[in-house]
Every structure is written in C-alpha cells, then in structure tokens.
Amino acid sequence: MGRLENKVAIITGGASGIGEQIVDLFSKEGAIVIAADINEEAPKKAEQNENVYGIKLNVASDEEWENVAKEVKDRFGKIDVLVNNAGISSEKTYQDINLEDWQKMLAINGFGPFAGIKHVAPYMAEQKSGSIVNISSYTAQIGQGFNHYSASKGAVRALSKAAATQFGRSGVRVNTLFPGVIETPMTQALTQYQELLNQLIQATPLQRLGKPQDIAQAALFLASEESSYITGAEIVIDGGFSAQ
Ligand code: NAD
C-alpha cells in the first residue's frame, strides 16, 4: 500500500528537476498525479506512467489556474494534494534588475503559488481535507545574492503562513520547503555554477549538494497523512548550510 494511495495530486513544474522527481515518487506511492508545466514536455512524460497525466499550465495565469483546478476536480472527483513547485531563477545583479524583471519573477514565483492556492484550496475546503506544499528556497531566509529571486521566495514563505491560517479550519494544511542548492537543470544553468558548487560543498556541514530526491521525500511526508497535525511549518533542506 502506497503512502499516497488514491490521492489526487497536482505538481506544478512537473517536467523537470525537483518537480519531475516529486511526480515519480508520488506516482510510485499510489497517487494519481497531474504534472502541470508550461513546458510541453510534461504531457509527453505523462505517457510513460499510467498514473501520471500531463497538463499545460502557466502558473502566472489566474485564468489557466481556474481551468486546471476545475478540470482536475471534474475528471478525478477531488484534489487532495497541491505541490507549488514551478519556478524560475535569475543571476541578475541588483543594479541590472528593472521593473519588468521584478514583475516576471514575482508573477511566476509569487503569484503562481498564490493563484494555485486560490483556485485549489476551495475544492479541498469543500472536502474538509487537503495538503498544500509550497517550494520556497533557503534564499528566502539568507539572501545569498539572488536579489529578486530571494524576494519572490520570501513571498512564498509569507503567503504559505497566511494560507495555513486561512484554510486550517477547513481541514487544509499548508507547509513550506526551503531547499538549499539542489542538482537540477535550474542550478546547472547558472554560469557561476562550478565555482559556486565547490564553495557550497565546502561550506555545507553535510558536505554535499542536495538531490531532487531529498526534496521529494520531504514533500511526500507533508503530502501524506503522516503529517496530519502539521500546518504552517517550514522545513529547511540544505545540509545545514543556513544553520551556521
Ligand atoms: P527546473 O528549472 O529544473 O524546473 C522548473 C520547472 O518549472 C520546469 O519544468 C519549468 O518548465 C517549470 N516552469 C517555469 N515557469 C513556469 C510557469 N510559468 N508555469 C508553469 N511551469 C513553469 O528547476 P528546479 O531546480 O527543479 O526548481 C524547482 C523549484 O525549486 C523552483 O521553485 C525553484 O525555485 C525551487 N528551488 C530550487 C533550488 C535548486 O537549487 N534547484 C533551490 C531552492 C529552491
């Protein structure tokens, strides 16, 4: 018996990196998984596993979120789990960031999870149960020079707390993960990656970078009934880096 047997779970950004790993793990644990991504690869990946369905979604669109939430509810009868994982990053310096950069970052990383909760939580509230897992970042807590990316992840931290308070009485739990540097296409695309990578391993108490599985396992715990009394909580998964 899987830990998510018969649960219906929407995972945003399910076509790559951490999201892809969460999709795989949740489907192995018995969930019906909807991998939602702006990238058309999500539906293709879905065909490889009978429990996984791909759907195109731009998380920055209020309208697309409304349609996706309704479609999933109509097709599967319920929504038990939402993982707000989709996101973008940027290495732009403080001086180079303009309003357009700011708005794009905050639209995808901030409004994306907000709109997901806005459209999915009411269905969960109707059922009197649901678990929402938001993926913030250790940069929400210590900055790390990522500027507007850090700010967008700070927004995720705050909106998670607000949503936990708002929807707790309806049986909906909202928790947040704070990954450190995880080996995914996102971090591999950073031009300073090699230098950063070596520095980070040295500076990390557990002496390695994170893997997508490290995040997926924590998301599984928060999505499952094992965490049924946990809401508004924050789990930092960075090998101890930000504890120093
Ligand atoms: P990734 O780039 O490998 O995957 C991100 C996925 O999100 C991609 O499939 C992409 O197509 C999708 N996406 C981007 N914009 C979208 C949009 N507007 N609508 C829908 N989907 C969209 O990144 P990852 O490293 O797996 O990161 C996943 C999450 O974890 C992100 O929120 C990221 O900020 C966060 N995070 C990552 C790290 C890390 O070191 N990799 C650290 C902390 C937090």
Side-chain angles (χ1 to χ4, degrees):
M1 179 94 170
R3 291 158 73 189
L4 295 179
E5 208 63 40
N6 298 322
K7 300 276 188 197
V8 175
I10 301 175
I11 320 293
T12 69
S16 173
I18 294 170
E20 188 181 349
Q21 195 64 44
I22 296 174
V23 169
D24 284 354
L25 182 62
F26 281 23
S27 69
K28 282 192 187 108
E29 292 291 344
I32 294 162
V33 181
I34 294 88
D37 204 295
I38 199 167
N39 180 343
E40 303 281 356
E41 268 182 52
K44 272 192 248 152
K45 285 219 169 83
E47 289 159 21
Q48 295 165 16
N49 186 323
E50 68 179 90
N51 285 332
V52 183
Y53 301 82
I55 198 160
K56 185 157 182 315
L57 167 70
N58 175 7
V59 295
S61 163
D62 212 6
E63 199 189 338
E64 287 189 29
W65 257 122
E66 186 177 3
N67 294 337
V68 164
K70 188 173 182 313
E71 213 177 307
V72 173
K73 165 75 180 168
D74 287 350
R75 178 156 184 192
F76 300 103
K78 58 177 188 160
I79 308 174
D80 300 298
V81 176
L82 167 64
V83 182
N84 280 310
N85 162 77
I88 55 168
S89 68
S90 164
E91 289 176 278
K92 276 199 174 183
T93 64
Y94 221 96
Q95 299 309 321
D96 284 340
I97 295 163
N98 59 30
L99 182 59
E100 201 184 322
D101 297 321
W102 174 271
Q103 285 172 337
K104 183 180 177 196
M105 184 65 76
L106 269 289
I108 296 172
N109 289 6
F111 185 72
F114 175 83
I117 296 170
K118 175 181 166 184
H119 292 292
V120 171
Y123 291 122
M124 293 176 163
E126 255 173 46
Q127 303 156 191
K128 291 269 173 238
S129 83
S131 173
I132 297 172
V133 181
N134 294 323
I135 312 290
S136 179
S137 165
Y138 76 117
T139 63
Q141 298 180 323
I142 60 168
Q144 268 278 301
F146 284 101
N147 306 318
H148 60 331
Y149 174 77
S150 303
S152 72
K153 292 301 183 176
V156 176
R157 182 183 194 187
L159 74 85
S160 302
K161 293 270 189 195
T165 316
Q166 174 90 18
F167 295 105
R169 284 172 182 76
S170 309
V172 181
R173 300 184 294 111
V174 186
N175 294 292
T176 315
L177 299 179
F178 295 77
V181 174
I182 312 299
E183 293 179 89
T184 71
M186 178 183 277
T187 41
Q188 276 146 14
L190 298 173
T191 53
Q192 300 151 8
Y193 185 62
Q194 282 308 319
E195 197 192 331
L196 190 75
L197 183 147
N198 291 328
Q199 286 168 7
L200 261 150
I201 294 171
Q202 295 304 318
T204 298
L206 293 182
Q207 294 281 286
R208 68 168 174 88
L209 296 178
K211 297 184 194 328
Q213 292 89 320
D214 295 318
I215 311 306
Q217 289 291 349
L220 171 61
F221 169 67
L222 291 174
S224 76
E225 299 299 328
E226 293 156 25
S227 59
S228 64
Y229 196 53
I230 301 179
T231 196
E234 307 189 326
I235 303 181
V236 179
I237 309 169
D238 67 353
F241 181 77
S242 58
Q244 302 171 98

